């Protein structure tokens, strides 16, 4: 059984294989007509359940479209409308769903929900974001960096703002793909010590630099994310904004990075909060390539999970 739960729990060769498959999927699709594309449908007859306990635009649409392009059918389920939201255990839900569907993609709150789903499901489970991680996003981000600049190994990535779930998956990727990561944000929002420990244990240089201008010096990639994640209470908003304003990615900050540096954001972005529109829409930004590559990367992930 191949679950795709987290980047640090997946073998490096498998991760690299998925990125390379995603690139092939992308270029084959770009060059093919509709008839040929439809003939290339290795998931024909399969059913993919897409469970969302939080809102989503990219994950929802890219998984749905990707599964259909591979020939599968999809079933979109909102957590609140399932018995999952009304007291049925995750374990029972996992066992029942496994009798109907061939893969389960779940976006949820607690990492434990994902883990329990995977433990009790007899079909592959894919992590579509938890409070603690967002591995599908970072697979697309690594793919995006490499299609613009070549191997990400040895590069300097700077994460600005909140050391959140997406940052954790970036740290896992730093360890697995061999790049360095500098975190720049306030102490109260430092990244997970386990994720930093994982990356360091694999030989990556992980640095905390409170001064954003210093942090981005020589950066090959600058990354921002929302200052308030979906699982954070709205009551934290004002304090977060005050704390994080010095970490906004703007033209002045990008000027300190390497001239060839790229800018990434997993989206949705709050324009002129964590990043200015000037940077988002500027020549260094690859945000829409990242969004597109979710589709190709996740098709590779689904194929890997289902062994086709
Ligand atoms: N980046 C990302 O996961 O976007 P959605 O929340 O829209 O799925
Ligand atoms: N950190 C954000 C990512 C959204 C894709 C969140 O969890 O809300």
């Amino acid at each position: 059984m191949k679950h795709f739960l987290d980047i640090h729990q997946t073998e490096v060769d498998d991760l690299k294989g998925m990125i390379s498959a995603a690139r092939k999927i992308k270029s084959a699709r770009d060059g093919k007509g509709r008839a040929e594309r439809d003939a290339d449908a290795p998931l024909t007859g399969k059913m993919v359940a897409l469970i969302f306990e939080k809102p989503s635009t990219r994950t929802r649409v890219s998984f749905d479209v990707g599964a259909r392009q591979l020939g599968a059918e999809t079933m979109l389920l909102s957590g609140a409308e399932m018995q999952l939201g009304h007291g049925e255990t995750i374990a029972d839900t996992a066992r029942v769903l496994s009798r109907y569907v061939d893969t389960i993609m779940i976006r949820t709150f607690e990492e434990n929900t994902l883990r329990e789903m995977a433990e009790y499901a007899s079909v592959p489970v894919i992590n579509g974001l938890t409070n603690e991680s967002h591995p599908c996003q970072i697979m697309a981000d690594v793919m995006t960096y490499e299609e613009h600049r070549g191997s990400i190994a040895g590069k300097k990535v700077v994460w600005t703002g909140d050391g959140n779930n997406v940052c954790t998956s970036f740290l896992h990727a730093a360890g697995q793909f061999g790049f360095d990561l500098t975190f720049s944000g306030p102490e109260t929002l430092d990244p997970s010590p386990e994720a930093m420990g994982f990356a360091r244990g694999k030989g990556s240089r992980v640095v905390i630099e409170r001064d954003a201008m210093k942090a981005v010096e020589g950066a090959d990639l600058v990354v921002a994310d929302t200052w308030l994640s979906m699982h954070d209470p709205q009551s934290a908003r004002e304090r977060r904004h005050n704390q994080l304003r010095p970490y906004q990615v703007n033209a002045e900050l990008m000027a300190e990075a390497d001239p060839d540096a790229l800018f990434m954001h997993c989206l949705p972005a709050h324009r002129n909060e964590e990043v200015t529109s000037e940077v988002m829409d500027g020549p260094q930004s690859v945000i829409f390539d990242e969004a597109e590559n979710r589709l190709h990367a996740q098709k590779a992930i689904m194929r890997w999970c289902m062994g086709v």
Side-chain angles (χ1 to χ4, degrees):
M1 176 79 60
K2 286 186 194 164
H3 299 302
F4 186 73
L5 301 182
D6 265 317
I7 287 179
H8 67 311
Q9 290 177 330
T10 308
E11 296 293 330
V12 183
D13 288 348
D14 287 337
L15 295 170
K16 290 186 174 166
M18 283 184 254
I19 302 267
S20 128
R23 282 161 80 156
K24 285 193 195 117
I25 288 168
K26 182 174 185 175
S27 59
R29 195 167 173 85
D30 285 348
K32 278 185 182 176
R34 189 180 164 82
E36 284 166 287
R37 289 202 306 260
D38 291 351
D40 183 19
L43 302 191
T44 300
K46 306 280 188 196
M47 179 61 77
V48 178
L50 306 171
I51 304 175
F52 287 91
E53 296 198 280
K54 289 175 177 169
S56 168
T57 297
R58 278 142 291 270
T59 306
R60 175 179 166 151
V61 178
S62 57
F63 262 108
D64 199 347
V65 170
R68 291 177 200 222
Q69 286 177 354
L70 292 172
E73 290 187 66
T74 59
M75 191 179 284
L76 206 52
L77 302 159
S78 101
E81 286 161 4
M82 294 172 72
Q83 299 292 6
L84 191 59
H86 301 101
E88 186 167 21
T89 66
I90 310 297
D92 289 346
T93 306
R95 287 185 280 224
V96 170
L97 288 180
S98 301
R99 302 285 178 108
Y100 303 136
V101 306
D102 301 285
T103 290
I104 300 166
M105 191 291 311
I106 179 165
R107 166 168 287 193
T108 187
F109 289 88
E110 303 304 329
E111 187 91 0
N112 274 346
T113 304
L114 172 81
R115 306 248 156 241
E116 205 174 330
M117 186 71 86
E119 188 180 341
Y120 291 96
S122 52
V123 297
V125 173
I126 299 173
N127 177 357
L129 178 143
T130 70
N131 295 359
E132 288 172 36
S133 61
H134 196 6
C136 290
Q137 178 67 52
I138 292 355
M139 292 294 279
D141 292 356
V142 170
M143 175 184 176
T144 305
Y145 185 87
E146 296 197 332
E147 74 187 5
H148 283 272
R149 295 284 185 268
S151 174
I152 197 166
K155 300 293 179 184
K156 175 179 175 181
V157 174
V158 177
W159 179 276
T160 61
D162 177 18
N164 62 16
N165 45 3
V166 182
C167 180
T168 291
S169 289
F170 246 113
L171 281 162
H172 292 157
Q176 298 288 54
F177 292 95
F179 58 87
D180 298 332
L181 191 140
T182 297
F183 169 80
S184 193
E187 196 175 344
T188 49
L189 300 175
D190 272 351
S192 130
E194 291 80 19
M196 289 196 282
F198 173 81
R200 286 183 177 134
K202 293 277 182 180
S204 299
R205 195 171 133 76
V206 176
V207 173
I208 294 186
E209 170 54 66
R210 306 278 171 219
D211 180 336
M213 286 293 198
K214 277 194 200 146
V216 298
E217 274 172 21
D220 297 295
L221 171 63
V222 178
V223 193
D225 188 13
T226 178
W227 286 343
L228 204 65
S229 284
M230 291 181 273
H231 59 274
D232 289 321
Q234 278 301 321
S235 56
R237 190 182 150 83
E238 196 181 332
R239 181 172 148 74
R240 283 284 178 97
H241 277 236
N242 291 335
Q243 277 183 301
L244 288 166
R245 211 158 282 128
Y247 299 96
Q248 182 193 64
V249 179
N250 49 38
E252 203 188 347
L253 193 72
M254 286 305 289
E256 297 302 311
D258 188 273
D260 267 347
L262 297 177
F263 170 74
M264 285 193 188
H265 190 308
C266 66
L267 307 179
H270 302 80
R271 284 177 176 262
N272 302 316
E273 291 182 10
E274 68 269 13
V275 54
T276 58
S277 280
E278 187 184 6
V279 171
M280 280 183 76
D281 301 327
Q284 289 167 290
S285 171
V286 289
I287 55 175
F288 298 113
D289 291 339
E290 283 179 87
E292 177 186 336
N293 286 339
R294 294 290 302 277
L295 172 67
H296 310 299
Q298 290 159 190
K299 284 169 79 176
I301 291 168
M302 285 188 277
R303 292 188 69 155
W304 177 80
C305 283
M306 288 193 252
V308 289

